[in-house]
Amino acid sequence: MSRAAAAHGLSQPAVSLTLRRLRGLTGDPLLVRGGGSLVRTERGEDVAVLIDRILSDVDHLVGRETDFDPFTSERHVRIVAATSLGPYLLPQLVKSLRAAAPNMVLEVSPMPSAAALDGLLESGEADLVLGHRELPGRDLRSEELMDCEVVCMVDRAHPAAGAGRISMAHYLRLEHLSPNPPHASMASPIDGRLAELGLARSIRAAVSEYALVPFILSQSDLVFTSARPFADYLARFGDFSVVGAPEEFGRMRFFMLWHERAHHSNFGAWLRRFVKDVLREAHVPPG
């Protein structure tokens, strides 16, 4: 308390009184003893992030935002990402963040419904969204990250293994593994496209963890459909074949989305550049 008071030109009792008021307002101790010093509670961490964002907005309003230094920043970065990005991109994202911003904390959350996603960005609970689709919203901004071929991944012993491309008629006769259950609130890009064509596939298993895909395919006759970079990456972990999906699927596009409130933020601009740089380092091809 004494050091905080000295840093801000206040008396120690004034800082203690302010802390008591904040505790009363939030209903949380905010700071507790741990390891011989005071540490933030989980609620304290959330409050600190929100205050940081409010102060950043105020600085923008009066044109005083200082240059953002990722190496010294202690921000809690929240990214919402499509499950397909998990095993391929996130290890590289964590590695690069540890080097560029060692004091930051990264939290990656799965994709919620479109309505919830809009709310997360608007409230600042999510800094960035990496997904398959753009969202309608007057206060949302987006940028296409990549455009990929759609392919099918099967066990090497599968009858479709080695084919150049599977026709739609053949595809619909096969049984499938999907990252989204048929009753999910947000359809996968594959099932969404099939619905546009008035078609549906036979999903026999659904798992939200892409890392499980190789283990399931190696012991089944199911077909997994995804973007080529991710299928090629997963195929390295077993004896699998990656073949072209029906042409009717077209290309699978990935977008980065953020809210207008973060568009002019130095931190937001840095985070978007950082994610694009990580994608390049991960050698994700354009198709």
Side-chain angles (χ1 to χ4, degrees), residues 186-233:
M186 185 179 292
S188 72
I190 301 304
D191 294 300
R193 177 56 180 155
L194 287 172
E196 291 175 358
L197 297 171
L199 304 171
R201 58 178 174 167
S202 175
I203 297 175
R204 294 303 179 190
V207 291
S208 59
E209 293 292 336
Y210 262 55
L212 295 175
V213 169
F215 299 99
I216 296 174
L217 290 186
S218 66
Q219 302 182 53
S220 72
D221 61 350
L222 299 179
V223 178
F224 183 71
T225 309
S226 186
R228 178 170 286 281
F230 312 126
D232 285 345
Y233 177 79

Side-chain angles (χ1 to χ4, degrees), residues 137-143 256-260 263-264:
R138 62 182 182 181
D139 295 322
L140 296 183
R141 289 182 175 250
S142 66
E143 180 179 340
M256 176 168 59
L257 300 98
W258 63 98
H259 197 269
E260 181 66 33
H263 182 64
H264 297 288

Side-chain angles (χ1 to χ4, degrees), residues 13-257:
V15 173
S16 295
L17 178 60
T18 300
L19 179 59
R20 284 199 297 272
R21 287 173 175 169
L22 284 172
R23 285 169 167 168
L25 286 170
T26 62
D28 187 274
L30 300 178
L31 295 170
V32 295
R33 293 199 174 276
S37 63
L38 289 175
V39 296
R40 294 172 184 166
T41 63
E42 290 187 6
R43 177 62 172 159
E45 290 286 355
D46 291 340
V47 169
V49 171
L50 290 173
I51 290 176
D52 185 50
R53 287 175 176 150
I54 291 170
L55 291 176
S56 176
D57 288 345
V58 171
D59 283 340
H60 275 302
L61 181 64
V62 297
R64 292 201 313 262
E65 186 185 32
T66 58
D67 290 337
F68 175 73
D69 182 7
F71 196 79
T72 59
S73 175
E74 298 181 356
R75 292 190 71 123
H76 191 139
V77 183
R78 294 180 171 91
I79 295 177
V80 175
T83 53
S84 58
L85 292 166
Y88 187 89
L89 178 63
L90 294 187
Q92 182 64 44
L93 190 65
V94 172
K95 177 183 176 182
S96 298
L97 190 67
R98 292 293 299 147
N103 299 314
M104 282 190 187
V105 177
L106 175 64
E107 177 185 337
V108 180
S109 304
M111 197 70 65
S113 66
L117 202 57
D118 195 358
L120 289 175
L121 286 170
E122 183 177 6
S123 67
E125 293 179 64
D127 297 302
L128 200 62
V129 171
L130 307 176
H132 299 110
R133 53 177 64 83
E134 295 178 287
L135 292 177
R138 62 182 182 181
D139 295 322
L140 296 183
R141 289 182 175 250
S142 66
E143 180 179 340
E144 185 171 322
L145 288 173
M146 51 186 172
D147 179 300
C148 306
E149 178 190 2
V150 179
V151 295
C152 296
M153 177 179 167
V154 295
D155 184 77
R156 187 70 66 179
H158 194 283
R165 181 176 298 278
I166 298 175
S167 69
M168 182 60 80
H170 186 191
Y171 184 85
L172 296 177
R173 291 197 299 270
L174 299 172
E175 298 188 323
H176 300 268
L177 170 66
S178 171
N180 297 68
H183 56 78
S185 59
M186 185 179 292
S188 72
I190 301 304
D191 294 300
R193 177 56 180 155
L194 287 172
E196 291 175 358
L197 297 171
L199 304 171
R201 58 178 174 167
S202 175
I203 297 175
R204 294 303 179 190
V207 291
S208 59
E209 293 292 336
Y210 262 55
L212 295 175
V213 169
F215 299 99
I216 296 174
L217 290 186
S218 66
Q219 302 182 53
S220 72
D221 61 350
L222 299 179
V223 178
F224 183 71
T225 309
S226 186
R228 178 170 286 281
F230 312 126
D232 285 345
Y233 177 79
L234 292 175
R236 295 163 48 194
F237 299 95
D239 193 16
F240 301 105
S241 177
V242 177
V243 302
E247 293 182 346
E248 289 89 341
F249 282 126
R251 310 278 293 181
M252 187 181 292
R253 302 164 70 198
F254 290 83
F255 296 89
M256 176 168 59
L257 300 98

